[in-house]
């Protein structure tokens, strides 16, 4: 009888571990109801990504799910570094929610950080990462994108703040130096998008760089990072902002031609950078500019469809950077910013209603494709989108637990 009870308890512990609740412990005990619900959703989605995309022994992230193939279509291919970086970010966000969550996600989290070594460029001049994964650590080759390296540097900085390991801060700074090496020393200025194809200077390689540099200034106290943060921010604001709505264009070519696509993450990155620079310098222009772009982003990407406010961007990773920026702006502009966050929350909750096989679709309005019988069909679900859905709920949980109630 005693043996049977032990076996039963062991099963409970295993099931609990999958949901990051443990046996007899709840990492979100004491959370506000809404924060707890969103935290548990984040954990469920993150665990689903771990199960479906992550191969622990080889520290290998699959690009797609289902990850099988009958031909040479490449379904079994490894994720590029950008999608892999988002699996790191989803783990980071969950680790910020509580000490219990941090402890229970740490093996997966640190494993994804270690897997960056398979993307590390084989070079001696800079600590940089390539877009594609190599078979051996430190032997990656091919294109190096400055924006990829911004996100990687950010994740090492995040990991430093979570674990306190000084080597993470060192790596973040070294990679950020590579990013800064992409600054174009010509009359146009700006950080290029790709090291090997210096054809454009993009918002995605400048706005988040400004935020990264500002955070490195806060972490190290080194004035050079703040100088760079301000320089990059001012360049992006001056060069790539649409003055009609304060939303940011995608890039400017070497000849000065603007590509006027607009993506949520670009504007979100500039809002976050503006908020951080305001908090550091106390110069109100940064906060005023962030508020104007927050309003512009809401008006641009959220549309009233017969009384239903719907998001028009169908990239969860692009979107989470906008949500993050609004939660960072909220303490400085609560009344105006809260409706933006609530509209976003409404769309994310609708998307959760499409949950299938413990995955959410990338399109939060229409959901999954359906077969003739009306059943959802998952075809080549990108790990970037799936991990970002976990981070989205984690960001909302963090907002409701630690920002809105304080």
């Amino acid at each position: 009888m005693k043996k049977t009870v032990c076996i039963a308890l062991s099963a409970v512990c295993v099931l609990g571990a999958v949901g990051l609740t443990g046996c007899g412990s709840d990492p979100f005990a004491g959370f506000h109801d809404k924060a707890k619900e969103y935290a548990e959703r984040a954990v469920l989605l993150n665990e689903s990504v771990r199960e479906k995309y992550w191969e622990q022994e080889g520290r290998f992230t699959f690009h797609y799910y289902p990850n099988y193939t009958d031909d040479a279509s490449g379904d079994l291919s490894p994720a590029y570094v950008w999608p892999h970086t988002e699996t790191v970010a989803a783990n980071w966000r969950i680790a910020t929610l509580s000490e219990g969550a941090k402890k229970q996600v740490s093996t997966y989290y640190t494993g994804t950080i270690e897997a960056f070594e398979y993307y590390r460029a084989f070079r001696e001049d800079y600590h940089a990462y390539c877009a594609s994964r190599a078979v051996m650590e430190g032997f990656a080759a091919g294109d190096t994108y400055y924006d990829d390296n911004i996100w990687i540097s950010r994740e090492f900085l995040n990991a430093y703040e979570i674990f306190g390991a000084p080597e993470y801060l060192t790596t973040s700074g070294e990679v950020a130096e590579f990013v800064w090496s992409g600054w174009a020393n010509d009359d146009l200025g700006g950080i290029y998008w790709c090291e090997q194809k210096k054809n454009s200077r993009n918002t995605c390689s400048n706005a988040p760089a400004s935020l990264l540099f500002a955070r490195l200034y806060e972490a190290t106290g080194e004035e050079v990072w703040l100088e760079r943060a301000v320089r990059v921010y001012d360049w992006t604001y001056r060069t790539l902002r649409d003055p009609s709505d304060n939303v940011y264009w995608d890039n400017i070519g070497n000849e000065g031609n603007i590509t006027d696509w607009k993506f949520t993450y670009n504007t979100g990155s500039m809002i976050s950078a503006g908020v951080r620079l305001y908090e550091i310098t106390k110069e109100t222009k940064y906060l005023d500019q962030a508020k104007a772009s927050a309003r512009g982003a809401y008006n641009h990407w959220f549309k009233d469809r017969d009384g239903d406010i719907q998001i028009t961007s169908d990239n969860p990773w692009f979107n989470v950077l906008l949500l993050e920026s609004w939660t960072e702006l909220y303490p400085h502009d609560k009344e105006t910013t809260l409706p933006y966050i609530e509209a976003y929350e409404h769309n994310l909750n609708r998307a959760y209603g499409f949950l299938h096989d413990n995955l959410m679709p990338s399109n939060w309005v229409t959901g999954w494709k359906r077969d003739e019988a009306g059943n959802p069909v998952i075809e080549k679900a990108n790990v970037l989108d799936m991990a970002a859905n976990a981070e989205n709920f984690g960001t909302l949980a963090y907002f409701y637990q630690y920002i809105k109630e304080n």
Side-chain angles (χ1 to χ4, degrees):
M1 181 67 178
K2 186 175 181 180
K3 185 175 181 181
T4 304
V5 171
C6 289
I7 293 172
L9 285 173
S10 296
V12 172
C13 288
V14 170
L15 289 171
V18 170
L20 288 190
T21 56
C23 190
S25 64
D26 179 357
F28 310 121
F31 270 41
H32 305 293
D33 289 346
K34 187 177 282 192
K36 183 178 176 66
E37 178 183 12
Y38 292 154
E40 289 173 346
R41 288 183 183 181
V43 165
L44 172 71
L45 295 167
N46 192 57
E47 182 62 18
S48 183
V49 169
R50 186 194 65 78
E51 290 176 345
K52 293 175 172 64
Y53 294 91
W54 175 243
E55 201 282 295
Q56 177 71 35
E57 265 189 48
R59 292 180 292 180
F60 184 101
T61 299
F62 288 107
H63 198 121
Y64 295 112
Y65 176 81
N67 39 40
Y68 55 80
T69 182
D70 307 276
D71 50 34
S73 64
D75 288 358
L76 281 169
S77 62
Y80 290 111
V81 74
W82 173 26
H84 173 75
T85 303
E86 179 51 25
T87 68
V88 183
N91 280 297
W92 159 75
R93 175 45 75 194
I94 289 171
T96 67
L97 295 178
S98 75
E99 281 298 314
K102 168 186 164 182
K103 181 178 179 180
Q104 294 183 41
V105 81
S106 63
T107 299
Y108 178 26
Y109 185 11
T110 55
T112 57
I113 293 172
E114 291 166 1
F116 275 134
E117 286 304 300
Y118 288 95
Y119 298 91
R120 184 169 177 178
F122 183 63
R123 59 194 292 175
E124 295 181 355
D125 56 346
Y126 285 108
H127 189 146
Y129 296 86
C130 298
S132 298
R133 187 184 191 276
V135 175
M136 295 177 62
E137 294 183 358
F139 281 85
D143 289 344
T144 43
Y145 290 85
Y146 293 109
D147 63 328
D148 283 349
N149 281 272
I150 293 167
W151 309 125
I152 294 167
S153 176
R154 180 190 69 166
E155 291 316 317
F156 276 105
L157 183 55
N158 286 341
Y160 166 70
E161 293 177 352
I162 291 292
F163 296 111
E167 60 267 27
Y168 288 154
L169 179 59
T170 298
T171 299
S172 179
E174 290 173 350
V175 178
E177 287 290 357
F178 166 71
V179 173
W180 179 246
S181 77
W183 180 268
N185 290 306
D186 58 16
D187 291 339
L188 183 55
I191 297 173
Y192 288 110
W193 180 43
C194 178
E195 183 181 21
Q196 290 74 24
K197 307 179 184 101
K198 291 185 168 69
N199 303 320
S200 63
R201 304 101 195 271
N202 293 41
T203 304
C204 69
S205 53
N206 285 274
S210 176
L211 176 60
L212 172 66
F213 297 160
R215 289 185 59 197
L216 281 169
Y217 164 72
E218 291 178 311
T220 66
E222 296 174 9
E223 289 288 338
V224 66
W225 291 120
L226 181 57
E227 292 167 6
R228 291 171 179 176
V230 169
R231 186 175 182 184
V232 175
Y233 178 93
D234 288 346
W235 179 88
T236 311
Y237 182 84
R238 183 176 65 252
T239 309
L240 289 168
R241 179 182 61 94
D242 182 347
S244 72
D245 61 2
N246 295 294
V247 174
Y248 285 80
W249 295 309
D250 185 66
N251 71 77
I252 185 169
N254 292 344
E255 305 305 317
N257 49 309
I258 296 284
T259 301
D260 63 2
W261 305 327
K262 294 177 178 178
F263 300 110
T264 45
Y265 77 128
N266 284 333
T267 298
S269 294
M270 277 299 283
I271 295 168
S272 291
V275 171
R276 190 62 64 108
L277 287 174
Y278 165 71
E279 290 173 346
I280 293 170
T281 69
K282 305 305 179 187
E283 291 188 40
T284 57
K285 69 173 184 178
Y286 295 119
L287 185 59
D288 291 341
Q289 290 164 4
K291 290 177 181 179
S293 289
R295 181 171 59 253
Y298 178 77
N299 291 335
H300 186 83
W301 281 291
F302 288 79
K303 305 299 180 185
D304 190 330
R305 312 291 192 197
D306 298 322
D308 182 25
I309 304 299
Q310 297 181 359
I311 190 170
T312 60
S313 170
D314 62 356
N315 186 309
W317 184 84
F318 284 5
N319 296 343
V320 75
L321 291 167
L322 180 60
L323 174 62
E324 242 176 46
S325 75
W326 284 344
T327 65
E328 290 160 356
L329 177 61
Y330 174 83
H332 306 289
D333 193 22
K334 293 182 180 180
E335 187 174 340
T336 303
T337 309
L338 184 59
Y340 306 158
I341 297 170
E342 289 176 337
Y344 192 107
E345 177 185 8
H346 165 69
N347 281 267
L348 191 60
N349 281 330
R350 172 176 37 223
Y352 192 77
F354 296 119
L355 188 71
H356 179 66
D357 197 11
N358 283 342
L359 293 175
M360 278 169 55
S362 57
N363 189 306
W364 296 347
V365 176
T366 61
W368 299 107
K369 291 181 180 179
R370 307 228 166 219
D371 61 21
E372 293 181 359
N375 300 310
V377 177
I378 298 179
E379 294 179 337
K380 287 195 171 184
N382 190 329
V383 68
L384 175 70
D385 297 335
M386 301 305 112
N389 280 323
E391 188 185 359
N392 268 287
F393 272 115
T395 302
L396 274 182
Y398 191 91
F399 170 72
Y400 279 108
Q401 184 63 27
Y402 298 112
I403 300 177
K404 186 173 183 294
E405 299 300 326
N406 294 319

